[in-house]
Amino acid sequence: MGKAVLTMHASLDGIVTEEERWMTMSDEILGEYLGYYDGVDRIVVGSRTYAELAGYWQNAERSSASGIEREIARKINDIPKLVLSRSPQDLVWRNSEQLRFEDDDSLIRQIQALKNAVGTVSVESGLQTWRFFLRHGLYDDLWMFVHPAIAAQGERLFDGLDHTHALRLASSKTYGNGAIGLYYRRNESERLV
C-alpha cells in the first residue's frame, strides 16, 4: 500500500493561505523538494488551486531565475496529477486528469484505491483538500515548513477538525532563512482508515 503525504507551508501562527504575504522560500528548501519529487508517483491538487499551480509551474519550467526551481518544475510537470472536483475541469497542465466524485464517500473510496495502486501520493493543495484528508484520516505523513512570520490574517489549516491526530516526529530541519521543516508520521494506533 502506498502513502499520502500532505505537504504545505505555514506561518508561525498556523496560517496556510496568502503565502505571498509571509512565505520566505529559498533554494535550500527547494533542494529538499527536488529529492522529494524523485519518490512521488502522483500529485493531488484541489480544483480551487489547480489553475494557479498549473500556470505557476508551467511558467517556472521555462522562465524561473532559479535553476533549482526550473528543475523542480520539470519534475512536477512530468508527474501525473489528479485534480479533485465535483464538476468538469479544464485540464491545462500536462499529465493532469480529473478525479471526479459525487460525495465524500465516493472520494474517500477513490483516494483509498489510489493509495493501494501507487507508491507515494503528494497532496499539494489547497486548504479544503488538506482538511478533507485530515478529517477523514486519508494521510500517512505530514511535511510542513513553518516560516518565521506571524501572518495574523488568513486561514489556519487545523481549524474545524473534530478529533485529535497523534503524530510522531520523523525528522526536522532548520533552514538558513529561519524556516523549520517538520516531517511527521501518523501513529499506527491512530489510523482511522
Side-chain angles (χ1 to χ4, degrees), residues 117-190:
V118 301
T120 299
V121 176
S122 185
V123 184
E124 305 272 322
S125 73
L127 179 61
Q128 297 309 317
T129 302
W130 291 323
R131 284 179 177 167
F132 184 86
F133 274 74
L134 287 162
R135 202 170 40 253
H136 297 286
L138 294 169
Y139 72 101
D140 300 281
D141 298 351
L142 190 149
W143 190 23
M144 178 180 282
F145 290 87
V146 180
H147 292 264
I150 298 171
Q153 297 177 347
E155 295 188 71
R156 288 176 171 76
L157 175 64
F158 304 113
D159 283 357
L161 294 181
D162 59 3
H163 61 276
T164 301
H165 293 246
L167 304 173
R168 171 176 54 83
L169 182 64
S171 65
S172 64
K173 182 175 180 179
T174 303
Y175 297 91
N177 65 357
I180 299 173
L182 302 167
Y183 196 99
Y184 290 99
R185 288 188 174 26
R186 286 191 50 202
N187 284 340
E188 292 296 321
S189 62
E190 294 297 315

Side-chain angles (χ1 to χ4, degrees), residues 26-190:
S26 69
D27 279 354
E28 186 181 15
I29 291 173
L30 290 173
E32 296 286 338
Y33 275 109
L34 192 58
Y36 170 73
Y37 284 119
D38 284 337
V40 171
D41 300 296
R42 293 285 188 289
I43 292 174
V44 169
V45 297
S47 60
R48 293 179 187 168
T49 55
Y50 171 76
E52 180 182 345
L53 289 173
Y56 181 86
W57 287 114
Q58 289 178 108
N59 185 54
E61 184 174 359
R62 295 183 306 274
S63 60
S64 175
S66 166
I68 196 164
E69 186 175 47
R70 285 192 308 277
E71 193 171 343
I72 289 169
R74 271 191 297 281
K75 286 185 182 196
I76 289 173
N77 292 333
D78 287 342
I79 295 170
K81 286 162 282 299
L82 292 173
V83 185
L84 308 182
S85 180
R86 295 178 197 267
S87 57
Q89 296 293 307
D90 184 19
L91 300 176
V92 297
W93 198 356
R94 78 174 179 256
N95 298 318
S96 291
E97 65 181 274
Q98 183 174 348
L99 195 154
R100 197 160 174 191
F101 60 97
E102 303 275 330
D103 55 26
D104 286 0
D105 289 337
S106 69
L107 180 55
I108 290 167
R109 284 191 303 277
Q110 290 183 74
I111 294 298
Q112 288 171 331
L114 174 66
K115 286 175 57 177
N116 287 329
V118 301
T120 299
V121 176
S122 185
V123 184
E124 305 272 322
S125 73
L127 179 61
Q128 297 309 317
T129 302
W130 291 323
R131 284 179 177 167
F132 184 86
F133 274 74
L134 287 162
R135 202 170 40 253
H136 297 286
L138 294 169
Y139 72 101
D140 300 281
D141 298 351
L142 190 149
W143 190 23
M144 178 180 282
F145 290 87
V146 180
H147 292 264
I150 298 171
Q153 297 177 347
E155 295 188 71
R156 288 176 171 76
L157 175 64
F158 304 113
D159 283 357
L161 294 181
D162 59 3
H163 61 276
T164 301
H165 293 246
L167 304 173
R168 171 176 54 83
L169 182 64
S171 65
S172 64
K173 182 175 180 179
T174 303
Y175 297 91
N177 65 357
I180 299 173
L182 302 167
Y183 196 99
Y184 290 99
R185 288 188 174 26
R186 286 191 50 202
N187 284 340
E188 292 296 321
S189 62
E190 294 297 315

Side-chain angles (χ1 to χ4, degrees), residues 8-10 14-19 22 127 130 155-157:
M8 77 243 358
H9 293 259
I15 303 295
V16 293
T17 57
E18 302 174 45
E19 300 93 338
W22 49 262
L127 179 61
W130 291 323
E155 295 188 71
R156 288 176 171 76
L157 175 64

